[in-house]
Amino acid sequence: MKKNIILMGPPGAGKGTLAKQLMSAFNLVHISTGDMFREAIKAGTPLGTLAKSFIDKGDLVPDEVTIGIVRERLAKDDCERGFLLDGFPRTLPQAEALKKLSIEINRPIDVVINLDCDNNELIRRISGRRVCKTCGAPYHIVTLKPKVEGVCDICGGPLYQRADDNEEALKVRLGHYVQETKPLLDFYANEGLLETFDSLVGKDLLFDQVSEFLKK
Ligand code: AMP
């Protein structure tokens, strides 16, 4: 079983949804740098204030800050059972820092799951995306509606649209993906860790395919 996993793919490819499915199925720790920043923003911490100034524009939070929070999180005891990195690494310095760190703490990366998705579909998914403010469950205004409008099926929390899920910030985010994150696919292919899946098959089939692969 592969248990230390990186999930990669452009914004809207379905990393967060797949991470939540895999986390419950395989008892893995879900580490989403985006969620960690959003929690810091909600809590009003200095990290949150700093992160917000980048996130709202669609820009990347500086490497030293992002690497610092992942370093701290990955060293915690619960990560021994296996972890899913969702949204990290996004730059080459982050990937290099992770490589060093995973050796230091003896938690080597077993596989990088890359989700492939075309641009039109990404824009459609992101512009209709809604998220539960309380538990983070993902919804979509057309393809994944809650039973009651604006209310989470799972916990009853209110649904909202992320501040960076607008057309302008999305263009910037996709630009960062192409410039800074996509080159990491070569980095991980060279390490022999890369495995690509088509996210257009839909979330349930994608989950089945990835699960089967992880069990091998
Ligand atoms: P996500 O929820 O993964 O889409 O992340 C939301 C936003 O958080 C991104 O657009 C970035 O501004 C910031 N962020 C998340 N992860 C990283 C990262 N690894 N490096 C830099 N910024 C990040």
Side-chain angles (χ1 to χ4, degrees):
M1 166 81 197
K2 301 170 189 73
K3 64 177 191 125
N4 296 340
I5 302 157
I6 296 175
L7 291 178
M8 286 197 55
K15 300 185 294 294
T17 302
L18 179 63
K20 285 195 164 60
Q21 292 168 305
L22 294 174
M23 176 183 76
S24 355
F26 298 108
N27 191 29
L28 301 169
V29 177
H30 179 202
I31 303 176
S32 155
T33 39
D35 283 351
M36 288 161 94
F37 289 135
R38 281 183 289 275
E39 273 156 29
I41 293 171
K42 208 158 95 183
T45 65
L47 169 69
T49 310
L50 176 87
K52 188 171 168 44
S53 64
F54 294 94
I55 293 177
D56 284 356
K57 288 184 286 183
D59 282 330
L60 295 180
V61 177
D63 282 338
E64 59 277 18
V65 176
T66 311
I67 292 166
I69 63 166
V70 172
R71 177 183 294 279
E72 216 173 276
R73 185 64 190 87
L74 269 186
K76 292 201 172 149
D77 288 347
D78 59 349
C79 289
E80 188 53 36
R81 62 179 202 251
F83 54 82
L84 288 154
L85 279 168
D86 162 9
F88 182 94
R90 265 177 155 100
T91 65
L92 198 55
Q94 290 180 15
E96 279 162 351
L98 176 63
K99 189 175 173 184
K100 262 175 67 184
L101 171 66
S102 60
I103 294 168
E104 264 166 50
I105 60 175
N106 198 22
R107 290 180 178 162
I109 301 300
D110 295 320
V111 68
V112 177
I113 303 284
N114 173 44
L115 302 185
D116 208 16
C117 191
D118 78 50
N119 256 23
N120 289 338
E121 176 65 8
L122 295 175
I123 292 164
R124 191 196 66 76
R125 287 184 185 181
I126 295 256
S127 51
R129 174 157 73 180
R130 298 292 182 273
V131 185
C132 173
K133 207 162 205 155
T134 311
C135 74
Y139 293 88
H140 188 276
I141 54 169
V142 179
T143 53
L144 195 57
K145 289 183 182 178
K147 291 192 186 97
V148 179
E149 204 188 320
V151 180
C152 178
D153 291 347
I154 300 164
C155 75
L159 305 188
Y160 80 112
Q161 182 171 31
R162 277 171 46 173
D164 59 343
D165 277 352
N166 62 69
E167 215 174 302
E168 209 177 320
L170 180 59
K171 269 191 209 144
V172 181
R173 286 159 71 199
L174 287 173
H176 283 300
Y177 174 75
V178 171
Q179 291 292 318
E180 281 138 291
T181 310
K182 217 172 169 195
L184 299 187
L185 299 181
D186 284 340
F187 176 92
Y188 286 117
N190 286 333
E191 305 253 310
L193 291 174
L194 189 70
E195 198 64 36
T196 294
F197 291 83
D198 179 4
S199 106
L200 288 175
V201 297
K203 68 180 176 67
D204 294 330
L205 186 53
L206 178 66
F207 168 66
D208 289 345
Q209 291 173 344
V210 173
S211 300
E212 279 314 303
F213 169 75
L214 292 178
K215 285 183 209 157
K216 279 184 208 153

